[in-house]
Amino acid sequence: MRKWITILFYAVIAALLILIWEKVRSFKLFKDREAVTTHNIVLKEISGLGNLELVKYAYRDVVEQSIARDFLPDPKAILIIQGEAVGCIDLRKVTADDIAGRGDTLVVNLPKPEICYHKIDHSRSKVYHTEYAFMNEGLLLEEAYKRAEQQILQSALDSDILEQTRQNADLVLKPLLENTTGKKVVLKYPMEGEL
């Protein structure tokens, strides 16, 4: 009987050692854990859209950002930023008074072209290099992104995105309206200074 208890004791010990070995073998000191994300999303607003997007400019900007310090080394960052600006015409502003027929010609008064939006594509942008930024990295990167977004808007305006929007409206809207109405279509825009 004592022999069987000894054998059983060693079998249990062997099973425990195998179980412990399997756990230790798969154990990592800094094991990656599964990311857990919780969302509490609430629909805030529903807006009707009427913007006819006519042109998109895509940009790539290399941004060097630094914060000037008096005594410590200046924190610096270099970012490669991808972004875009989109030109459009807001068709919600067109009323029945803006459309006039004169014989075989249809005159449509469109609102001024505008930039619908300009933004940075964070999924395609990246931080290339940072230096002395360990305490100020968040502030440094936030300021770099903000300035890059402003630069995208300014570059789009400097590149005549609004004129390109006008030209693309002629290429898109004019044939559509002519084929629909069977008339020659003239698109007009407010002069500079007009609303």
Side-chain angles (χ1 to χ4, degrees), residues 99-108 177 181 183-187:
I99 301 170
R102 297 182 189 144
D104 66 341
T105 303
L106 185 67
V107 178
V108 180
L177 294 172
T181 63
K183 295 183 175 188
K184 180 182 177 207
V185 173
V186 176
L187 300 178

Side-chain angles (χ1 to χ4, degrees), residues 22 35 48 54 64 74 87 103 126 128 134 158 168 184:
E22 288 299 317
L54 293 162
E64 295 181 38
D74 295 347
K126 66 179 181 175
Y128 181 73
F134 53 90
D158 292 345
N168 287 2
K184 180 182 177 207

